[in-house]
Amino acid sequence: MIDIQTIDWNEVWKEKKATRSSPVRDSTIWNKRAPSFAENSAKTVYAEAFVKIVNPKQSWTVFDMGCGAGTLATPFAKLCKAVTAADFSDTMLDILRKQCDKLKISNVKTIKASWEDDWSGAGIELHDVAIASRSLVVDDLRSAIMKVNGIARKRVYISTIVDDGPYDRQVFDAIGRELNMGPDYIYNYNLLYQMGIRANIDFITEKNRIYKNCYQLVESMQWMLGDMTLEEEEKFNDHLDKHLVCKAGWWMLDYEKETRWAVIWWDKN
Ligand SMILES: C[S@@+](CC[C@H](N)C(=O)[O-])C[C@H]1O[C@@H](n2cnc3c(N)ncnc32)[C@H](O)[C@@H]1O
């Protein structure tokens, strides 16, 4: 009989992560992707749904690790006392600062830091609530969770993929490439359980995204695939020919692709 307490979920998570087929993402890659990521994130229901799950309090100070271009930092700044937004991508932080200027938001402090840095050395202090939204891209999940848990006084929220997350398996099948997304939320949840944290889970579901121009849609799909061989590119173009449609000026795929995220959260006590 398998006793789940004897399984080292951090090791299982690492083993599963090693099988992941998508490209490695360092800060250079995130810098490059930042403008389109910011634009696309602003159009999804994710931020609104996340805020609804959290139901933020005006008195809170919030730490947002791997904040990106401010998908959550901006709405939380409007609802809470202050937000500290950290990321290792300069371009993401630049876009966030510009967005705050544009929206006249003055309670967001940005810090360039990675998961691996010494956070107190980087000026990251205790906050009421800590968030790591879709940003737990780390080598050691247990250490990252301990770090984000240690920075929160009241509550922690992490979010991650369910199944394939935003990746479109049909595209991978079409170009003849295997898709392995590595560990999804259930690994995080089991690890938390093993760490003595009895967490709650909510889910966010996004329907197919639609785009004003077809290049944005194609770009959002190319991002999943990284570099393609000539043969893969041909198959990718065939897939687009078959499935890319324009309705009332909006570009979309002619099949349903749901993206699900798990928001896992717990109170500190
Ligand atoms: C998918 S985006 C998520 C952004 C935002 N939190 C959201 O939910 O829209 C992942 C973010 O994590 C950042 N990131 C990835 N690995 C990181 C690391 N090791 N240290 C700090 N930030 C990292 C990336 O630069 C990127 O901005």
Side-chain angles (χ1 to χ4, degrees):
M1 191 184 76
I2 297 172
D3 175 0
I4 69 155
Q5 287 297 355
T6 62
I7 298 171
D8 182 339
W9 286 101
N10 201 37
E11 284 308 313
V12 175
W13 179 86
K14 283 183 192 172
E15 278 167 28
K16 183 81 177 162
K17 184 172 170 270
T19 65
R20 194 183 148 109
S21 52
S22 66
V24 176
R25 268 132 210 201
D26 58 15
S27 58
T28 327
I29 296 181
W30 281 109
N31 282 338
K32 211 169 140 204
R33 197 190 171 201
S36 64
F37 184 84
E39 203 177 322
N40 288 333
S41 303
K43 289 182 189 136
T44 70
V45 298
Y46 179 81
E48 202 185 327
F50 197 106
V51 169
K52 207 164 163 196
I53 290 165
V54 175
N55 189 18
K57 307 265 174 298
Q58 212 287 319
S59 60
W60 281 354
T61 56
V62 175
F63 174 59
D64 182 5
M65 182 58 202
C67 59
T71 315
L72 297 177
T74 329
F76 275 87
K78 291 181 191 158
L79 299 164
C80 300
K81 191 156 100 188
V83 174
T84 304
D87 203 288
F88 71 171
S89 157
D90 283 315
T91 317
M92 289 285 191
L93 294 175
D94 273 352
I95 297 174
L96 168 57
R97 282 188 289 265
K98 282 185 187 128
Q99 185 67 0
C100 288
D101 285 348
K102 196 171 145 195
L103 300 172
K104 305 211 179 335
I105 291 174
S106 56
N107 58 346
V108 173
K109 178 177 161 190
T110 56
I111 295 185
K112 182 176 176 182
S114 79
W115 278 103
E116 297 76 24
D117 287 346
D118 164 13
W119 285 5
S120 73
I124 300 170
E125 294 163 349
L126 273 183
H127 288 68
D128 293 322
V129 171
I131 295 173
S133 160
R134 311 187 284 194
S135 69
L136 273 162
V137 191
V138 291
D139 290 331
D140 189 309
L141 184 60
R142 184 185 281 127
S143 308
I145 287 176
M146 281 168 67
K147 230 165 158 173
V148 78
N149 189 52
I151 217 76
R153 277 190 213 98
K154 295 183 194 296
R155 199 177 280 173
V156 182
Y157 293 85
I158 62 175
S159 72
T160 190
I161 55 167
V162 177
D163 302 321
D164 295 335
Y167 280 61
D168 183 343
R169 189 165 284 276
Q170 290 208 41
V171 178
F172 280 76
D173 289 345
I175 71 165
R177 202 192 285 180
E178 197 193 336
L179 173 64
N180 185 340
M181 285 301 294
D184 80 345
Y185 79 102
I186 202 64
Y187 292 78
N188 300 49
Y189 193 83
N190 281 318
L191 175 60
L192 286 167
Y193 183 87
Q194 197 161 54
M195 290 168 76
I197 297 172
R198 303 294 180 258
N200 308 283
I201 309 190
D202 286 284
F203 294 98
I204 295 175
T205 303
E206 295 173 322
K207 300 276 178 210
N208 281 21
R209 297 184 190 168
I210 59 173
Y211 297 80
K212 257 285 167 217
N213 94 43
C214 66
Y215 300 108
Q216 283 173 339
L217 201 167
V218 174
E219 197 186 18
S220 78
M221 296 170 89
Q222 280 167 332
W223 156 252
M224 290 185 292
L225 301 162
D227 291 335
M228 279 184 271
T229 63
L230 274 179
E231 193 188 337
E232 284 178 335
E233 238 172 77
E234 270 173 29
K235 290 179 177 167
F236 179 62
N237 290 333
D238 285 347
H239 184 77
L240 294 176
D241 284 346
K242 269 191 221 146
H243 298 291
L244 207 60
V245 290
C246 184
K247 287 185 192 162
W250 289 93
W251 289 88
M252 61 198 80
L253 294 167
D254 68 354
Y255 56 88
E256 286 227 344
K257 156 75 185 99
E258 272 192 352
T259 297
R260 294 190 83 207
W261 303 97
V263 179
I264 305 177
W265 59 274
W266 62 95
D267 284 316
K268 296 285 300 278
N269 47 38

